[in-house]
Amino acid sequence: MREVVITGVGLVTSLADGLEANAAALADPARRSFDAATYAPFAVHPADALELDRQIPKKLDQKQMEPWQRLGTYAAGLALDMAGLKGDRERLSSMQLIVAAGGGERDYAVDSQILTELPTATDPGVLLNEKLMGELRPTLFLAQLSNLLAGNISIVHGVTGASRTFMGEEQCGVDAVRIAFERIRAGQGDSFLVGGSYNAERADSLLIFAMGGFLRRAGFVPVDGRADDPGFILGSGGAFLVLEAREVAEARGATILARLAAVDSRRSKRAPGAVRASLGAALDAACGAAGLTPDAVLSGATGAAGITDEECAAIGERLPQAGLRLTGSRIGHVLEANFPVGLALGVLCLTHGLWPRTPGSASEQDRSGKPRSVAVTSVGHMRGEGVAVLAAAE
Amino acid sequence: MKDASGRPVVVVTGMGLVTSLGQGKQDNWAALTAGTSGIRTIRRFPTGGLRTTIAGTVDFVPAEPFCAAQLSENFARLAADEAVAEADIGRAGDFPGPLFIAVPPVEMEWPQREALAQASGATGGVTYADLLRAAGTGAFKPWHDLFLFGTVAERLADAFGTKGSPISLSTACSSGATAIQLGVEAIRRGETEAALCIGTDGSVQAEALIRFSLLSALSTQNDPPEGASKPFSKNRDGFVMGEGAAALVLESYASAKARGARILGVIAGCGEKGDGFHRTRTSPDGMPAILAMRGAIADAGLTPDDIDYVNAHGTSTPENDKMESMGCMAVMGERMKSVPISSNKSMIGHTLTAAGAVEAVISLLTILNQRIPPTINYHQPDPAIPLDVVPNLARDGRVRHVMSNSFGFGGQNTVLLFSGEVHS
């Protein structure tokens, strides 16, 4: 089996744009981007303002995308820059893309108008048809389609080996990373761009999770302190990683940031105790496969009732010596991007000794310095448990 | 047994199919080889004010609530039931491998939005703030579960007892082929001996149709409905939305042989290539599609001369059929003029997310039956497409290797290569 290394990371969070800026912002426990007013009673962690021109030079391309696609396309560009692959047409034309994506954003004005007029319409079906035919922007569809984040990355950055889009909330981010990892190890591909992005500042997306009772209303506290009103606070952000076979990265003289030593993805049938058992087994399997005992764990715990406690418990049982950080407390829950963002922060932990602390978190301990290896965990709010183990570049 | 590249050979031991032509392979094959159209006037929602009023809807499968997410789940269940039963693999509810499923990107639909608006008690201008207020009451929890992107896969994984984390995917109109490709790769790298691969799509509802209509992608020749989808014809004017699902049980040849399973066919090769030219249009030189076809042929250890039949993407849009024809000619050369190529979409419409899987099953049925389904509605040949499109009538033919094309918005090009017999 071949080794898999990370040679590029693009990261955008609600705090900052880019890897170094995030390292600086996350090192300051007081930094938080938080908006409790716009979607009251629900809060979000809004995106940092991006200089889009830096990664999406054509205004036309920017216009053709909705914010979730812009966040992702931007982060993908940062990752390619860092890997030294930006503009390398030959390599990009054989690079494989696996994107973890949700879907599109709606035209709120059109929806509101239709919902206002429907109750009094003489023929509601025809009104709906006529309004949608007359008012929807034709290109909005393309900003909604799940696979068009990948499509935009192909167009803007020229990554055209192949593209696949995985869907399914948090867990599709885990599976995207796992499939790229396994394909590289087995020689089914040499170079992958993997990641996802999420825009939290959308009423239609908040709506889904509000229906499920998964959104916290009672103001900010760390994800492990939400017993009073369990749930997540969505955050905007995204991350992309360049994964390569070590031999391929070395042959082109790339700087290796970290080694991706193991990825484990599984699904428990949810019941009390299921996440604790499943994530525990995933940690055992991943650490065993990597042959490493990580000294840091970056958890993407959401704050959802029960499962966040179970996640922390599983980590405490399996890796009692490791320092834990709950990154969702700092940047919010980034859904499909949860696992890729966790991996990006894991790289920062290895390379910068970044331990993004949240004041008031009962689960986090004092830690400093660069760990030798980091575990990244993701537990979906409805389904899916995932673990990756990252090792410092030798 | 290993293939020419030393990898485990991947075979198919079970298949299931649901389209507007019926439920099950048998009914579908009979209708497809009889040249029957499943395209009809849409009855499930009002079509007043629309330019397109026809589709290949599956009207015999109930769903409650009636929405794309639930319909897609129900179609997938039916197809998977048929495939798993035929493969006779594992035990009931205990499938010995992972699930890869192509599902349409679902979202909440208008009946749900209306219910939320009503529950909000808003009078006058309804805004998303009103909907959010209503959503937070807890009365709508089942809709959260229903409209998550991962729900169909989870429910199927529970029903069939597939192993590991089920993967839901979208590569637009090549999704069904990508689901199969993921299964092939997992078996080839030795991760599993079997995989359940599904493509499903039940998204013929007003807004989905309107979105395609606004991109001028749909045929507007509504009368008669069965004449609208006319791939490769000069007067083709767009695709017709279709619905359905297909499921395939993939297995390593070694596993299938060891348990004495009937081998229905071989997935000999997969090819794919991205395209960064445009969001909906393909590169003018057609190279990505050409490279995907060449990739699949090479992956199978074959040459273009080995291809006996092409199961076309053949959407009936002016652009696709021209580009696909050009691409096939570039790959096969002059010989392509005599290689039969036909489009199932002439009869069942474009089953979108499901199409790659639906057409994979039909490709394998073509090999099993040594009979080629036609391209119906072919009355005005397009001089720019000088191909044998198997016009209007099915015919017998010697078919050992089939190439099945799937192309999609967002630069997606996926090609699968099927063989009747194992060759190493």
Side-chain angles (χ1 to χ4, degrees):
Chain A
M1 288 286 184
R2 304 195 297 177
E3 281 196 4
V4 181
V5 296
I6 299 173
T7 56
V9 180
L11 176 64
V12 178
T13 70
S14 53
L15 291 179
D17 154 11
L19 207 55
E20 293 300 327
N22 267 288
L26 284 160
D28 174 359
R31 285 280 298 276
R32 179 174 305 127
S33 162
F34 192 70
D35 172 6
T38 306
Y39 307 101
F42 309 111
V44 295
H45 298 277
D48 187 39
L50 301 178
E51 276 182 65
L52 286 175
D53 295 353
R54 287 176 49 211
Q55 291 297 341
I56 311 174
K58 290 186 190 162
K59 295 284 184 206
L60 182 69
D61 284 331
Q62 295 178 19
K63 254 182 67 179
Q64 293 268 330
M65 299 181 215
E66 290 289 317
W68 72 287
Q69 294 173 336
R70 289 197 284 263
L71 278 167
T73 305
Y74 187 91
L78 293 177
L80 294 173
D81 262 343
M82 191 169 185
L85 289 168
K86 195 59 150 322
D88 184 340
R89 290 181 61 160
E90 193 185 324
R91 287 197 173 90
L92 293 177
S93 72
S94 62
M95 185 179 217
Q96 314 255 334
L97 188 52
I98 306 184
V99 174
E105 311 187 12
R106 299 201 56 89
D107 186 323
Y108 303 106
V110 173
D111 284 0
S112 292
Q113 199 188 349
I114 291 171
L115 288 171
T116 302
E117 293 179 25
L118 274 177
T120 54
T122 49
D123 192 337
V126 173
L127 173 95
L128 179 66
N129 291 347
E130 286 175 348
K131 284 284 175 194
L132 291 173
M133 284 293 287
E135 305 290 336
L136 277 188
R137 261 187 307 124
T139 54
L140 180 65
F141 185 20
L142 302 173
Q144 293 172 316
L145 274 176
S146 300
N147 74 308
L148 259 291
L149 168 52
N152 278 296
I153 292 170
S154 296
I155 290 169
V156 173
H157 303 305
V159 179
T160 56
S163 90
R164 300 185 194 171
T165 295
F166 290 180
M167 302 185 298
E169 293 72 42
E170 298 90 347
Q171 190 65 3
C172 69
V174 178
D175 287 323
V177 173
R178 186 185 79 80
I179 293 292
F181 174 75
E182 294 295 353
R183 287 181 62 197
I184 292 172
R185 290 210 313 153
Q188 291 177 335
D190 290 333
S191 168
F192 284 72
L193 179 63
V194 184
S197 58
Y198 183 73
N199 172 27
E201 298 147 76
R202 304 167 46 180
D204 61 321
S205 185
L206 286 164
L207 198 56
I208 280 283
F209 302 109
M211 288 196 297
F214 281 97
L215 297 183
R216 178 177 168 84
R217 303 162 200 243
F220 180 82
V221 293
V223 293
D224 55 345
R226 295 183 180 173
D228 62 324
D229 180 24
F232 41 80
I233 300 171
L234 291 164
S236 295
F240 275 83
L241 307 157
V242 175
L243 303 181
E244 294 181 90
R246 178 186 286 278
E247 66 213 48
V248 173
E250 283 176 349
R252 70 178 184 88
T255 302
I256 292 170
L257 304 168
R259 179 165 64 89
L260 182 54
V263 185
D264 192 275
S265 170
R266 52 186 72 205
R267 181 187 72 103
S268 61
K269 185 92 181 116
R270 290 289 172 89
V275 163
R276 186 172 181 165
S278 179
L279 189 71
L283 282 163
D284 285 347
C287 296
L292 293 167
T293 304
D295 16 58
V297 181
L298 299 186
S299 155
T302 58
I307 60 174
T308 290
D309 290 343
E310 290 194 30
E311 182 172 349
C312 291
I315 293 165
E317 284 160 9
R318 268 22 189 230
L319 296 168
Q321 309 300 323
L324 175 65
R325 289 294 180 270
L326 301 165
T327 55
S329 299
R330 297 298 308 277
I331 57 174
H333 183 39
V334 288
L335 227 79
E336 287 90 1
N338 193 36
F339 198 63
V341 166
L343 285 170
L345 296 174
V347 170
L348 277 180
C349 190
L350 289 172
T351 57
H352 290 58
L354 174 74
W355 293 84
R357 189 90 189 244
T358 306
S361 169
S363 315
E364 299 181 351
Q365 313 81 4
D366 287 333
R367 283 290 193 284
S368 61
K370 296 179 186 176
R372 292 293 304 158
S373 68
V374 177
V376 176
T377 64
S378 169
V379 173
H381 76 287
M382 284 294 283
R383 59 182 69 97
E385 300 84 36
V387 173
V389 176
L390 296 171
E394 281 88 37
Chain B
M1 177 175 284
K2 301 290 166 82
D3 67 10
S5 308
R7 307 165 300 192
V9 170
V10 180
V11 300
V12 178
T13 55
M15 303 192 286
L17 189 58
V18 178
T19 76
S20 55
L21 291 173
Q23 183 181 328
K25 293 192 294 291
Q26 204 171 350
D27 286 0
N28 270 285
W29 184 247
L32 287 162
T33 48
T36 314
S37 171
I39 310 302
R40 49 186 71 101
T41 299
I42 293 167
R43 305 268 177 232
R44 69 170 61 155
F45 58 84
T47 54
L50 301 182
R51 291 200 292 262
T52 294
T53 59
I54 54 172
T57 50
V58 173
D59 292 327
F60 51 85
V61 177
E64 181 53 44
F66 197 84
C67 61
Q70 192 62 55
L71 263 181
S72 300
E73 178 189 329
N74 296 0
F75 296 163
R77 253 174 217 270
L78 291 172
D81 270 335
E82 186 184 10
V84 172
E86 180 174 45
D88 192 19
I89 189 171
R91 283 163 305 171
D94 186 13
F95 183 90
L99 171 67
F100 299 101
I101 181 165
V103 288
V106 295
E107 61 173 347
M108 203 161 66
E109 295 174 20
W110 283 99
Q112 289 81 37
R113 280 183 209 108
E114 285 179 71
L116 283 166
Q118 198 181 8
S120 77
T123 50
V126 181
T127 67
Y128 267 83
D130 298 312
L131 303 189
L132 268 177
R133 202 172 57 243
T137 60
F140 302 99
K141 175 123 183 28
W143 288 350
H144 160 270
D145 301 358
L146 182 61
F147 293 111
L148 291 181
F149 292 101
T151 293
V152 172
E154 172 153 272
R155 291 178 179 176
L156 269 286
D158 281 341
F160 291 91
T162 55
K163 303 297 175 277
S165 177
I167 291 184
S168 309
L169 65 108
S170 174
T171 55
C173 298
S174 67
S175 302
T178 303
I180 294 169
Q181 186 180 23
L182 282 159
V184 169
E185 288 169 352
I187 292 171
R188 281 179 175 174
R189 63 176 177 259
E191 200 170 285
T192 181
E193 294 295 322
L196 180 58
C197 302
I198 302 176
T200 186
D201 202 315
S203 57
V204 176
Q205 35 104 353
E207 187 171 318
L209 182 133
I210 288 165
R211 289 176 183 179
F212 281 118
S213 189
L214 289 171
L215 291 175
S216 303
L218 299 180
S219 171
T220 57
Q221 296 179 3
N222 298 305
D223 189 23
E226 56 272 17
S229 184
K230 14 180 200 318
F232 307 118
S233 292
K234 192 163 189 296
N235 58 335
R236 66 187 185 276
D237 72 323
F239 73 83
V240 178
M241 287 179 80
E243 289 185 328
L248 297 92
V249 173
L250 270 50
E251 248 182 295
S252 71
Y253 176 81
S255 158
K257 268 294 180 203
R259 64 182 194 88
R262 182 183 172 215
I263 290 171
L264 305 173
V266 181
I267 307 184
C270 309
E272 65 185 327
K273 185 75 182 84
D275 186 346
F277 176 70
H278 187 265
R279 287 165 187 80
T280 58
R281 296 204 313 272
T282 53
S283 288
D285 62 2
M287 275 319 284
I290 291 168
L291 291 171
M293 291 186 227
R294 286 184 181 150
I297 294 168
D299 190 48
L302 298 172
T303 70
D305 286 348
D306 293 315
I307 307 303
D308 301 311
Y309 163 65
V310 179
N311 184 302
H313 189 56
T315 56
S316 182
T317 62
E319 161 137 337
N320 175 81
D321 296 1
K322 183 184 76 187
M323 294 303 292
E324 185 172 11
S325 160
M326 200 178 95
C328 286
M329 287 193 282
V331 171
M332 313 260 217
E334 273 298 300
R335 179 176 167 267
M336 186 61 216
K337 290 182 178 168
S338 59
V339 175
I341 173 172
S342 67
S343 170
N344 308 144
K345 293 184 181 76
S346 63
M347 294 175 274
I348 58 175
H350 189 346
T351 58
L352 301 166
T353 298
V358 165
E359 291 160 23
V361 169
I362 298 172
S363 295
L364 287 159
L365 290 172
T366 302
I367 298 175
L368 281 168
N369 292 285
Q370 295 290 298
R371 189 162 174 78
I372 303 173
T375 303
I376 67 165
N377 299 318
Y378 188 77
H379 304 298
Q380 294 185 34
D382 181 345
I385 302 178
L387 302 180
D388 171 8
V389 302
V390 194
N392 305 315
L393 290 174
R395 81 165 80 115
D396 290 336
R398 180 158 185 253
V399 183
R400 297 157 306 168
H401 305 290
V402 174
M403 183 170 79
S404 174
N405 292 334
S406 295
F407 309 127
F409 284 174
Q412 311 277 178
N413 301 279
T414 308
V415 177
L416 300 178
L417 212 302
F418 302 98
S419 300
E421 285 171 11
V422 177
H423 62 106
S424 61

